[in-house]
Amino acid sequence: EAHPQPKRRSGSSAAARVAGPPEPAAPGGVGSIDQAAPEPSGSAPTPGRPTAPALNLALIAAVNRPGKHDASGAFVPEGTAWSRANQASELFLDAEGLSAQQVRDAVLDQLFRPQHRGLQQVAFFCHGFPRGIGLGFHGRDGAACLAAGIQSATEQGTVILYSCSAGQWFAGELARMLGEGFAVWSHMGRGHTTRNPRLCYARGSESIDVWAELTWTRRRRLRELLRGPARLQLGAMELPRLFEILDRPPSDTPG
């Protein structure tokens, strides 16, 4: 599906489930939000029970596209790793057979729930493109809808879009609608979720192409940083902190 890239600026709700890594899906099942995802390594908590009473949330696209390993090879394992590192609850989403509106409603339903009041970080592991992310949020209306859902959960926090190319426009629009109390991390191009170095940072009306601002030395150090456990701590960093880490000698770099 083609989505035009604009100039960059400086019907019903489906049920959802918060749980640990779900059981493998049975073949021939009907697509739904709570259909199981491929199980990553590690023990699985009891289905239907939140992984932790955390103030962080990961929303994870859990089913592969036909002929691809995008969910099992990237979204599920990296989303689960991020959740464990940040003591986050997880929502596994299966969009097969559902409309974009139904998937979007499942995300919003989760953000509106009382147990997520005071969220500090919310991370999205799914496909992305310049004008949206692959969980039903597209264009200005999608950014406004997602911003309203996030603001219902918290007055300030960090949003991370592990969604390719969303930094080219959508993340900046989302940050503008969220306001100064929110930082939004995203990516300017394609890459492997948490390991994608083409970072973009937005807060309010300001959007910065971080990768374009880096020297070659800083770019090399950023790639090294994102190969280790520190890649899962992006949401805990403000931009000056990231620059400070990249200016350290390699032996002092965390992760």
Side-chain angles (χ1 to χ4, degrees), residues 61-254:
V63 175
N64 292 324
R65 285 185 172 182
K68 305 291 185 181
H69 299 284
D70 41 6
S72 61
F75 303 142
V76 171
E78 287 301 287
T80 301
W82 185 91
S83 298
R84 290 172 178 167
N86 293 281
Q87 294 185 315
S89 297
E90 298 161 327
L91 177 66
F92 293 94
L93 296 158
D94 174 4
E96 185 179 355
L98 299 176
S99 68
Q101 179 177 344
Q102 287 175 312
V103 180
R104 181 186 66 205
D105 287 349
V107 172
L108 294 175
D109 173 71
Q110 201 62 217
L111 291 172
F112 288 143
R113 292 190 178 190
Q115 65 262 38
H116 292 138
R117 294 290 186 269
L119 272 179
Q120 296 171 356
Q121 297 183 52
V122 56
F124 295 81
F125 292 82
C126 60
H127 287 290
F129 43 92
R131 290 188 63 84
I133 61 173
L135 293 179
F137 299 94
H138 307 150
R140 283 191 173 88
D141 287 346
C145 190
L146 183 54
I150 294 170
Q151 288 168 331
S152 74
T154 183
E155 296 180 354
Q156 61 181 12
T158 300
V159 180
I160 316 171
L161 303 177
Y162 291 112
S163 311
C164 296
S165 304
Q168 293 182 25
W169 182 84
F170 183 80
E173 190 69 6
L174 177 63
R176 184 180 69 81
M177 293 181 175
L178 285 170
E180 293 291 336
F182 293 85
V184 179
W185 287 99
S186 58
H187 300 89
M188 292 296 293
R190 295 183 178 183
H192 192 282
T193 57
T194 61
R195 293 178 172 84
N196 187 347
R198 296 192 60 186
L199 292 174
C200 180
Y201 176 89
R203 182 182 286 276
S205 60
E206 182 180 22
S207 184
I208 301 171
D209 183 343
V210 177
W211 180 253
E213 297 287 328
L214 299 180
T215 63
W216 287 108
T217 298
R218 278 179 162 183
R219 287 184 178 185
R220 176 176 53 80
R221 289 179 179 171
L222 178 59
R223 288 183 184 276
E224 292 172 354
L225 185 72
L226 297 181
R227 293 190 188 108
R231 76 187 189 281
L232 304 173
Q233 302 298 329
L234 184 62
M237 296 185 198
E238 286 293 326
L239 195 54
R241 172 61 175 161
L242 176 61
F243 287 150
E244 177 186 331
I245 291 172
L246 296 180
D247 284 335
R248 293 178 182 175
S251 60
D252 294 333
T253 301

